[in-house]
Amino acid sequence: MSSPTALPNSSDLVEEHRRRIPPGHRERAEDTLRSARLRLSDLIRLGGYGLRSRPLRAVLSALGIAIGIAAMISVVGISASSHADLDRKLAKLGTNMLTVSPGRTMFGKQATLPDESVAMIKRIGPVQSATATGVVGTVHAYRNDRIPVAQTGGLSVVAAKLDLLTTVGAQLDQGVWLNGATDRYPAVVLGATAAERLGYGPTVYIGGRSWVVVGVLRKVALASELDTSVIMGWPAATTYLAFDGHPTTVYTRSADSQVEAVRGVLAATANPSAPNEVDVSRPSDVLTLRRATNAAFTSLLLGLGSVALLVGGIGVANTMVISVLERRSEIGLRRSLGATKGQIRTQFVAESLLLSMIGGAAGALLGYLVTGTYATTQKWPTVVPWWILAGGVGATVLIGAIAGLYPAIRAARLAPTEALAAT
Amino acid sequence: MNTFGAVVTTVDDAEGHPVIELDDVSKSYPGGVAALRSVDMVVDYGELLAIVGPSGSGKSTMLNLIGTLDRPSTGTVRIDGYDVASLSDRQLSALRSRRVGFVFQHFHLAAGRDALGNVADGLLYSGASKRDREQRAEAALVRVGLSERLTHRPYQLSGGERQRVALARAVAGDPPLLLADEPTGNLDSVSGAGVMRLLHELHEAGTTILVITHDREIADSLPRQVRMRDGQVV
Ligand SMILES: Nc1ncnc2c1ncn2[C@@H]1O[C@H](COP(=O)(O)OP(=O)(O)OP(=O)(O)O)[C@@H](O)[C@H]1O
Ligand SMILES: [Mg+2]
């Protein structure tokens, strides 16, 4: 046979054919009529071809999913990181501090704690330490003697026992704490905010005389009232300012396991004659409470994230519907090549799954980066809980399956001849 | 479901039955169009025949029924010994993937895949591994004279080359039956002749081939002609 182009000659073809299908050997009927299963790798590849044929559209519809997942992961991640930070702080500060302060009498007047309440509290078994401060209500602290009396700056003058620092976990920023000598003389230690307002001078003016500033405290997380206090020794307050000696706050630390038990007896111990006039609180609870308010905010943002995810899912469904409409002739061709309805369906579901999972993976990465960046700027540890990652993956799989199912069913239902007629 | 029983006995014997058997086949479409009316036709293994007739005479409809892409309204279609009516969608799909190859006027190549990919994807539903599919695809492309065009995308190929890729895809799985609906309809005469030469070669290698054509010359060059008019074989 003459062939102008370089075609193999026909006897080669006959030979080739014989080699492939030996004479007398035919597939058995069962094999001929059994449709082969698509391998998973082929299915993934098929989904990939579909997406690659319209890359921009794929990217845009995956973007919706990515934004939703990123929003959810970063919201949960940031809140988890902030919790981790709080937990770390609480672990350092301890959650075993209880404070006792006078409440109001039955007639609404300010109550007082008995002078011996600190000693009584110290006698409670699980109490490890107890110390007190007493507000010197009659005087205020000023920068110097030229400041008008009315300008108190919102600061209080407080007498403190020497073991205050260790019990409340306060730390010095500058200078020294009071000692057995300076607590008798006109010397003060300033809380962090008090030092700012009083201008970090060498002295302050209280009750008609100058007091030497010997130290400045850092902010005290569990006793923020000390930040706005000018603190002096108990004897000095009595000597120079006619302090009445009544404690206004008693700080205690107890064995961790016994905190609640101690809390139960604290009021009666501090003021046996009028336990109802005593307020007991646990400062670490306030911090924990702040976390609870954060949680409400977090669920709001999480709701927004899931709306974004839903919109992303609709975007994927839309893309898939259009894809099926546009690819009718491809569907017809695949049917002519031997694809079953089920295989057509699987192909489009796989494509949809792939699309949303690419979006989900990008979103998870983005969410992690956002969390990491934010946590780092806040000096928090970066924490992304596993459940939100698992939830994110689960959500994308679910969205992909749901979004792809209807278009896939439509694709599979197309009659092969009708699909082939579309060009 | 056991639908094999009736045909298993004859299927092992290639000479026992014709490759195509249409028995009183009619096809009407919703709306009352009778595209095929009471068609009887038998095609034996190894035949090469042309289906000719005016536009709308039912040629494509008949080819689709033979290719099991559609079912008749009435009558019996037997392909490779199997009664199409007794087979499920999965079984028909399996039959198509193993026993029937299609070539279309509009090629139907995937724009995003090169020649090798297009041909290899044609074997996707045969259960062959990727390696195996690619090897057979390459062999098929060599057979149609496109060994130099393996990595070309459809837009980088001429019309004749595209149809040869489509032909390679149709025969890569060695189907005993090849159905071509106006394979040269979109080609110039030189490219068309090239495609026809390949069909002749495949025929010589043992494949049964049906070609729908409007080209008298092509039709006359084939060993057998089936003429259609108004949904009937005349
Ligand atoms: N899906 C369909 N729905 C309704 N009528 C159809 C459908 N497909 C084909 N027909 C009608 O059936 C008749 C036969 O169509 P068919 O496509 O078989 O013709 P043909 O011989 O292949 O023509 P051509 O040479 O133009 O391709 C035509 O009258 C056509 O309008
Ligand atoms: Mg036609």
Side-chain angles (χ1 to χ4, degrees):
Chain A
M1 166 170 182
S2 68
S3 47
T5 52
L7 293 177
N9 72 41
S10 58
S11 63
D12 283 351
L13 282 175
V14 176
E15 195 47 47
E16 168 91 354
H17 191 80
R18 289 224 177 90
R19 192 177 60 72
R20 279 157 188 270
I21 302 178
H25 171 86
R26 296 262 327 250
E27 288 174 84
R28 299 197 15 180
E30 291 82 19
D31 294 333
T32 306
L33 294 179
R34 183 171 297 141
S35 74
R37 288 172 60 88
L38 272 183
R39 290 148 208 253
L40 185 64
S41 58
D42 288 334
L43 200 55
I44 294 170
R45 222 176 274 126
L46 259 182
Y49 297 150
L51 297 184
R52 251 184 286 159
S53 64
R54 304 245 183 247
L56 182 64
R57 187 189 292 170
V59 166
L60 287 179
S61 55
L63 200 60
I65 301 273
I67 289 171
I69 292 288
M72 297 183 89
I73 286 183
S74 48
V75 162
V76 171
I78 286 172
S79 129
S81 302
S82 121
H83 286 180
D85 177 62
L86 191 61
D87 288 343
R88 209 168 56 169
K89 273 198 191 127
L90 282 177
K92 212 158 73 189
L93 298 171
T95 56
N96 60 345
M97 191 168 91
L98 293 171
T99 61
V100 180
S101 47
R104 303 223 158 241
T105 64
M106 265 162 65
F107 310 107
K109 290 170 78 180
Q110 179 71 49
T112 54
L113 288 176
D115 291 357
E116 64 281 7
S117 54
V118 178
M120 311 255 288
I121 288 169
K122 274 186 180 163
R123 247 172 266 143
I124 301 173
V127 167
Q128 293 163 339
S129 66
T131 184
T133 57
V135 172
V136 186
T138 50
V139 292
H140 292 287
Y142 303 95
R143 194 178 291 204
N144 51 49
D145 59 356
R146 294 181 297 279
I147 305 290
V149 176
Q151 285 186 20
T152 61
L155 304 178
S156 42
V157 175
V158 167
K161 308 272 186 192
L162 291 178
D163 52 0
L164 178 71
L165 283 204
T166 48
T167 303
V168 300
Q171 287 177 319
L172 278 160
D173 187 33
Q174 302 170 19
V176 293
W177 177 238
L178 301 167
N179 59 36
T182 52
D183 76 339
R184 255 176 273 236
Y185 297 108
V188 291
V189 170
L190 305 180
T193 313
E196 256 168 51
R197 297 207 185 136
L198 293 171
Y200 293 99
T203 60
V204 294
Y205 191 76
I206 306 170
R209 64 159 56 241
S210 277
W211 295 65
V212 181
V213 176
V214 296
V216 175
L217 296 181
R218 292 203 184 138
K219 287 205 181 258
V220 188
L222 287 180
S224 55
E225 63 277 8
L226 292 178
D227 296 344
T228 55
S229 295
V230 175
I231 304 160
M232 58 188 54
W234 206 273
T238 315
T239 311
Y240 298 103
L241 301 173
F243 172 46
D244 60 11
H246 293 316
T248 46
T249 309
V250 179
Y251 301 93
T252 71
R253 293 273 184 176
S254 314
D256 281 319
S257 57
Q258 299 295 317
V259 176
E260 284 308 315
V262 169
R263 185 180 203 154
V265 300
L266 215 42
T269 312
N271 194 349
S273 57
N276 56 325
E277 289 174 11
V278 175
D279 288 341
V280 177
S281 71
R282 189 176 185 175
S284 57
D285 285 354
V286 179
L287 295 179
T288 319
L289 203 68
R290 209 187 302 154
R291 160 201 297 200
T293 24
N294 280 347
F297 189 56
T298 298
S299 35
L300 177 73
L301 288 176
L302 213 54
L304 286 178
S306 43
V307 169
L309 208 53
L310 184 70
V311 172
I314 293 170
V316 169
N318 183 40
T319 301
M320 293 311 298
V321 168
I322 293 174
S323 179
V324 168
L325 286 179
E326 281 179 353
R327 286 157 63 191
R328 284 151 63 104
S329 71
E330 177 197 324
I331 294 164
L333 175 79
R334 291 192 184 281
R335 295 284 275 139
S336 81
L337 290 169
T340 63
K341 285 181 184 173
Q343 284 167 337
I344 296 290
R345 206 160 41 225
T346 318
Q347 176 188 339
F348 281 91
V349 169
E351 200 170 310
S352 172
L353 275 179
L354 205 61
L355 188 59
S356 70
M357 277 161 75
I358 288 170
L365 191 69
L366 191 66
Y368 192 86
L369 289 179
V370 167
T371 305
T373 311
Y374 190 79
T376 309
T377 60
Q378 300 289 311
K379 298 203 173 65
W380 294 346
T382 301
V383 177
V384 176
W386 66 268
W387 60 264
I388 190 68
L389 287 177
V393 170
T396 52
V397 168
L398 200 68
I399 287 172
I402 291 174
L405 198 60
Y406 169 69
I409 288 173
R410 273 185 50 164
R413 277 215 197 116
L414 270 181
T417 48
E418 200 184 316
L420 277 168
T423 37
Chain B
M1 184 169 84
N2 179 15
T3 50
F4 310 127
V7 289
V8 160
T9 48
T10 56
V11 101
D12 284 328
D13 176 9
E15 277 75 47
H17 56 78
V19 63
I20 300 167
E21 197 180 351
L22 303 187
D23 187 7
D24 196 20
V25 168
S26 299
K27 175 75 189 178
S28 44
Y29 287 106
V33 183
L36 280 187
R37 291 186 288 164
S38 221
V39 169
D40 295 302
M41 184 173 78
V42 172
V43 177
D44 284 317
Y45 283 94
E47 280 200 77
L48 168 58
L49 58 102
I51 300 173
V52 293
S55 189
S57 56
K59 306 182 294 294
S60 297
T61 302
M62 186 167 83
L63 206 73
N64 286 340
L65 291 180
I66 292 169
T68 77
L69 292 173
D70 210 348
R71 294 176 192 264
S73 305
T74 59
T76 311
V77 176
R78 275 203 192 79
I79 303 302
D80 216 23
Y82 298 101
D83 180 353
V84 169
S86 68
L87 302 184
S88 67
D89 176 71
R90 293 182 57 151
Q91 290 171 321
L92 284 183
S93 300
L95 187 69
R96 285 197 290 273
S97 84
R98 302 214 166 78
R99 316 298 292 166
V100 188
F102 291 89
V103 180
F104 305 99
Q105 182 177 351
H106 298 291
F107 323 136
H108 288 306
L109 298 179
R113 305 275 290 143
D114 60 17
L116 192 68
N118 265 288
V119 178
D121 285 354
L123 295 166
L124 200 56
Y125 306 99
S126 69
S129 71
K130 182 166 184 280
R131 235 180 97 83
D132 197 16
R133 294 198 301 266
E134 277 167 359
Q135 276 173 358
R136 291 166 78 175
E138 187 172 346
L141 282 164
V142 169
R143 263 200 275 175
V144 300
L146 288 179
S147 51
E148 307 293 311
R149 298 281 185 275
L150 299 183
T151 59
H152 286 225
R153 301 272 183 92
Y155 74 90
Q156 296 167 315
L157 297 170
S158 74
E161 286 168 338
R162 284 183 216 180
Q163 194 59 299
R164 269 149 61 193
V165 173
L167 190 57
R169 180 180 60 196
V171 301
D174 285 313
L177 179 58
L178 182 64
L179 306 176
D181 193 344
E182 301 187 43
T184 61
N186 269 7
L187 305 180
D188 62 45
S189 55
V190 176
S191 307
V195 167
M196 285 315 295
R197 195 167 50 244
L198 285 167
L199 291 181
H200 277 285
E201 288 174 10
L202 285 162
H203 169 237
E204 281 164 44
T207 308
T208 310
I209 303 175
L210 273 70
V211 186
I212 293 180
T213 180
H214 281 286
D215 188 320
R216 285 203 73 87
E217 230 177 284
I218 287 177
D220 292 341
S221 73
L222 302 189
R224 176 181 166 190
Q225 290 86 30
V226 171
R227 295 184 193 281
M228 297 194 68
R229 185 175 300 277
D230 292 336
Q232 287 178 308
V233 173
V234 294

